[in-house]
Amino acid sequence: MSGGYLTGDAPDGGAPDRWAPDGGMRGEVADGGPADGASAGGASAGGASAGGAPPPGEDAEPARLTAWLAGHVQGVGLRWWIRARALELGLVGSAENLEDGRVKVVAEGAVARCRELLALLAGPGTPGRVTGVTQRWDVPRGGLASFTER
Protein backbone atom coordinates (compact mmCIF):
# COMPACT_ATOMS: atom_id res chain seq x y z
CA MET A 1 0.00 0.00 0.00
CA SER A 2 1.35 3.41 -0.84
CA GLY A 3 1.47 6.17 1.74
CA GLY A 4 2.09 5.33 5.34
CA TYR A 5 0.51 4.03 8.48
CA LEU A 6 0.40 6.18 11.56
CA THR A 7 -0.64 4.90 14.96
CA GLY A 8 -2.34 7.07 17.56
CA ASP A 9 -2.42 6.45 21.29
CA ALA A 10 -5.65 5.35 22.91
CA PRO A 11 -6.21 5.67 26.65
CA ASP A 12 -6.49 1.88 26.99
CA GLY A 13 -3.13 1.23 25.28
CA GLY A 14 -4.55 0.07 21.94
CA ALA A 15 -5.18 2.17 18.87
CA PRO A 16 -6.40 1.77 15.33
CA ASP A 17 -4.06 2.80 12.53
CA ARG A 18 -5.06 5.82 10.56
CA TRP A 19 -4.00 5.98 6.93
CA ALA A 20 -4.25 8.75 4.42
CA PRO A 21 -3.18 8.70 0.77
CA ASP A 22 -0.63 11.47 1.36
CA GLY A 23 0.83 9.66 4.40
CA GLY A 24 -0.62 12.22 6.81
CA MET A 25 -3.02 11.72 9.71
CA ARG A 26 -6.67 11.92 8.67
CA GLY A 27 -10.01 11.31 10.27
CA GLU A 28 -9.09 12.05 13.87
CA VAL A 29 -11.50 10.20 16.09
CA ALA A 30 -12.59 11.20 19.59
CA ASP A 31 -10.97 9.24 22.43
CA GLY A 32 -8.44 7.65 20.07
CA GLY A 33 -10.93 5.02 18.85
CA PRO A 34 -13.59 4.55 16.20
CA ALA A 35 -16.30 7.18 16.39
CA ASP A 36 -19.09 4.62 16.38
CA GLY A 37 -18.26 3.76 19.98
CA ALA A 38 -16.47 0.50 19.27
CA SER A 39 -13.43 -0.25 21.38
CA ALA A 40 -9.95 -0.32 19.90
CA GLY A 41 -8.63 -2.31 22.86
CA GLY A 42 -5.53 -4.42 23.29
CA ALA A 43 -4.92 -8.09 22.54
CA SER A 44 -7.89 -10.34 21.94
CA ALA A 45 -8.39 -14.02 22.47
CA GLY A 46 -7.42 -16.38 19.69
CA GLY A 47 -4.11 -14.78 18.80
CA ALA A 48 -5.47 -11.82 16.85
CA SER A 49 -4.73 -8.36 18.11
CA ALA A 50 -7.32 -5.62 18.12
CA GLY A 51 -6.12 -2.30 16.82
CA GLY A 52 -4.20 -1.35 13.75
CA ALA A 53 -1.94 -4.32 13.20
CA PRO A 54 -3.23 -7.44 11.51
CA PRO A 55 -3.02 -10.56 13.64
CA PRO A 56 0.33 -12.34 13.69
CA GLY A 57 0.70 -15.73 12.07
CA GLU A 58 -0.09 -17.29 8.75
CA ASP A 59 -1.74 -15.31 5.96
CA ALA A 60 -4.40 -18.02 5.79
CA GLU A 61 -5.41 -17.55 9.46
CA PRO A 62 -8.94 -16.14 9.84
CA ALA A 63 -9.35 -12.53 10.92
CA ARG A 64 -11.93 -9.77 11.24
CA LEU A 65 -11.16 -6.39 9.71
CA THR A 66 -13.28 -3.36 10.54
CA ALA A 67 -12.48 -0.24 8.53
CA TRP A 68 -14.02 3.21 8.59
CA LEU A 69 -13.64 5.21 5.36
CA ALA A 70 -13.77 9.01 5.43
CA GLY A 71 -14.07 11.49 2.58
CA HIS A 72 -16.62 11.71 -0.24
CA VAL A 73 -17.68 8.09 0.23
CA GLN A 74 -21.49 8.06 0.24
CA GLY A 75 -23.73 8.24 -2.80
CA VAL A 76 -20.93 7.21 -5.18
CA GLY A 77 -21.47 3.43 -5.47
CA LEU A 78 -18.73 2.64 -2.95
CA ARG A 79 -20.65 0.05 -0.92
CA TRP A 80 -21.55 -1.88 -4.07
CA TRP A 81 -17.91 -1.68 -5.24
CA ILE A 82 -16.63 -2.89 -1.83
CA ARG A 83 -19.10 -5.81 -1.90
CA ALA A 84 -17.89 -6.84 -5.37
CA ARG A 85 -14.21 -6.70 -4.32
CA ALA A 86 -14.89 -8.57 -1.07
CA LEU A 87 -16.76 -11.35 -2.87
CA GLU A 88 -13.91 -11.64 -5.41
CA LEU A 89 -11.56 -12.12 -2.45
CA GLY A 90 -13.81 -14.70 -0.78
CA LEU A 91 -14.63 -12.50 2.21
CA VAL A 92 -17.90 -12.23 4.15
CA GLY A 93 -19.19 -9.17 5.99
CA SER A 94 -20.86 -5.87 5.20
CA ALA A 95 -20.44 -2.28 4.05
CA GLU A 96 -22.75 0.37 5.49
CA ASN A 97 -23.22 4.12 5.43
CA LEU A 98 -22.88 5.83 8.79
CA GLU A 99 -24.81 8.93 9.83
CA ASP A 100 -21.57 10.92 10.14
CA GLY A 101 -20.84 10.51 6.41
CA ARG A 102 -18.32 7.67 6.66
CA VAL A 103 -18.64 4.10 5.39
CA LYS A 104 -18.02 1.21 7.78
CA VAL A 105 -16.67 -2.05 6.36
CA VAL A 106 -16.61 -5.34 8.29
CA ALA A 107 -14.82 -8.21 6.54
CA GLU A 108 -13.98 -11.70 7.76
CA GLY A 109 -11.73 -14.20 6.05
CA ALA A 110 -8.05 -15.00 5.61
CA VAL A 111 -5.66 -12.31 6.88
CA ALA A 112 -4.04 -12.01 3.45
CA ARG A 113 -7.41 -11.46 1.75
CA CYS A 114 -8.45 -8.87 4.34
CA ARG A 115 -5.15 -7.05 3.74
CA GLU A 116 -5.88 -7.06 0.00
CA LEU A 117 -9.29 -5.52 0.59
CA LEU A 118 -7.78 -2.90 2.89
CA ALA A 119 -5.28 -1.93 0.20
CA LEU A 120 -8.09 -1.61 -2.35
CA LEU A 121 -10.22 0.61 -0.12
CA ALA A 122 -7.98 3.65 -0.58
CA GLY A 123 -6.32 2.66 -3.83
CA PRO A 124 -6.83 4.00 -7.33
CA GLY A 125 -10.16 3.09 -8.86
CA THR A 126 -12.10 3.32 -5.61
CA PRO A 127 -15.39 5.18 -6.21
CA GLY A 128 -15.64 8.61 -4.61
CA ARG A 129 -12.68 10.12 -2.79
CA VAL A 130 -11.32 8.32 0.26
CA THR A 131 -9.32 10.73 2.41
CA GLY A 132 -8.68 8.40 5.33
CA VAL A 133 -9.08 4.85 6.54
CA THR A 134 -9.20 3.82 10.19
CA GLN A 135 -8.81 0.10 10.74
CA ARG A 136 -9.21 -2.41 13.55
CA TRP A 137 -8.27 -6.10 13.52
CA ASP A 138 -9.84 -8.75 15.70
CA VAL A 139 -10.71 -12.44 15.83
CA PRO A 140 -13.58 -13.40 13.52
CA ARG A 141 -17.01 -13.69 15.14
CA GLY A 142 -18.49 -15.91 12.45
CA GLY A 143 -22.17 -16.16 11.62
CA LEU A 144 -21.77 -14.35 8.29
CA ALA A 145 -22.81 -16.11 5.08
CA SER A 146 -22.01 -13.52 2.39
CA PHE A 147 -21.07 -9.87 1.95
CA THR A 148 -23.94 -7.39 2.13
CA GLU A 149 -24.59 -3.71 1.60
CA ARG A 150 -26.50 -2.09 4.44
Side-chain angles (χ1 to χ4, degrees), residues 6-113:
L6 299 172
T7 303
D9 295 319
D12 62 1
D17 282 351
R18 293 174 185 88
W19 179 86
D22 63 2
M25 186 78 75
R26 294 279 193 263
E28 289 294 328
V29 183
D31 300 320
D36 69 352
S39 170
S44 299
S49 59
E58 301 297 320
D59 283 346
E61 290 292 318
R64 179 183 182 97
L65 166 67
T66 305
W68 294 265
L69 284 64
H72 180 65
V73 294
Q74 292 189 8
V76 295
L78 180 60
R79 290 177 299 144
W80 176 88
W81 183 89
I82 292 169
R83 179 181 179 271
R85 301 298 78 78
L87 290 173
E88 290 170 358
L89 293 168
L91 300 172
V92 296
S94 63
E96 68 178 297
N97 286 339
L98 299 177
E99 289 183 17
D100 64 6
R102 296 178 301 156
V103 168
K104 178 181 175 183
V105 178
V106 175
E108 289 189 2
V111 170
R113 297 302 186 152

Side-chain angles (χ1 to χ4, degrees), residues 105-136:
V105 178
V106 175
E108 289 189 2
V111 170
R113 297 302 186 152
C114 288
R115 282 189 193 128
E116 288 181 54
L117 180 63
L118 184 62
L120 292 170
L121 293 176
T126 304
R129 185 174 54 86
V130 176
T131 59
V133 175
T134 303
Q135 66 187 51
R136 183 178 68 208

